[in-house]
Amino acid sequence: MKNSCVYPGSFDPITLGHLDIIERASKIYDKVIVLIMQNPSKHNVFSELERKEFIERCCKHLNNVEVVIGNGLTVNVAKKLDCHVMIRGIRAVSDYEFELQQATANLTLDNSIETLFMVSRPEYSFLSSSLAKQIASLNGDVSSCIPKEILNEFMERMKEGSHE
Ligand code: ADP
């Protein structure tokens, strides 16, 4: 598919930082596919289907965004979807080393797929799903971290504890 990109990640759950990257990418590409991938090193609170529904709800205003749940290697999923660009967000120098390693590994696995980095907006450069979960679990205010469309449900679930 020409002029489309995938934006892979765990999105457990989607934050305002993720949403900002999706909105900016949707202005550059005809189609943005948000790809929910398993990350074995992360313990997820929300199921893949819940995460998908959350992203869809937050992206209702964007008519060129689709959400897909993927399995296996991200480059293989991207290729199957006929996307040759993967977007990743960089918040700080600390992200860079890991992202560089991933992007180089992916290039070695499939050199037809390019990784492009978008830098985080300064107001979201501190933000991660883990931080939002940590604040919420201590009953803190996460309205500057989590999209309003999912805020109540997110808080409810964080009070109940993990479901996956
Ligand atoms: P992963 O498990 O692949 O790191 P995440 O859901 O944590 O998945 O993040 C997906 C992508 O979004 C990554 O490229 C990450 O760097 C980026 N990202 C996460 N939080 C932000 C943020 N606050 N601003 C910009 N990009 C972000």
Side-chain angles (χ1 to χ4, degrees):
M1 203 187 306
K2 266 225 145 66
N3 205 26
S4 65
C5 68
V6 292
Y7 177 39
S10 311
F11 307 103
D12 186 49
I14 181 171
T15 66
L16 287 170
H18 294 132
L19 187 55
D20 179 57
I21 297 283
I22 297 169
E23 283 171 345
R24 285 158 59 196
S26 80
K27 290 185 188 136
I28 303 170
Y29 290 93
D30 290 337
K31 185 161 193 178
V32 177
I33 301 177
V34 182
L35 203 52
I36 300 174
M37 295 299 295
Q38 284 166 347
N39 184 339
S41 63
K42 288 190 181 174
H43 169 73
N44 296 311
V45 170
F46 297 94
S47 73
E48 287 172 339
L49 283 177
E50 283 175 312
R51 284 180 267 159
K52 182 172 189 276
E53 201 276 312
F54 277 176
I55 301 169
E56 284 169 345
R57 216 190 295 170
C58 298
C59 293
K60 263 215 169 99
H61 60 298
L62 304 167
N63 59 13
N64 59 343
V65 174
E66 198 185 309
V67 189
V68 169
I69 296 171
N71 275 306
L73 286 173
T74 310
V75 282
N76 291 349
V77 180
K79 204 165 192 172
K80 269 206 187 115
L81 294 166
D82 205 17
C83 280
H84 294 268
V85 173
M86 298 202 299
I87 300 283
R88 294 287 289 175
I90 300 255
R91 286 162 288 195
V93 181
S94 50
D95 275 343
Y96 179 71
E97 209 169 325
F98 173 76
E99 292 294 342
L100 179 66
Q101 187 188 32
Q102 289 281 312
T104 310
N106 284 332
L107 205 53
T108 311
L109 289 166
D110 189 332
N111 68 7
S112 72
I113 313 256
E114 294 290 347
T115 300
L116 297 187
F117 295 120
M118 287 179 77
V119 294
S120 173
R121 243 178 236 290
E123 59 266 43
Y124 302 135
S125 61
F126 73 97
L127 184 51
S128 66
S129 301
S130 320
L131 183 74
K133 287 182 281 192
Q134 199 180 342
I135 297 171
S137 68
L138 300 169
N139 235 340
D141 178 10
V142 286
S143 55
S144 59
C145 306
I146 298 292
K148 57 182 181 321
E149 291 84 351
I150 64 165
L151 192 56
N152 288 342
E153 235 167 299
F154 171 68
M155 286 308 290
E156 282 305 309
R157 280 294 301 280
M158 290 313 294
K159 277 182 214 157
E160 286 168 24
S162 166
H163 281 243
E164 203 176 69

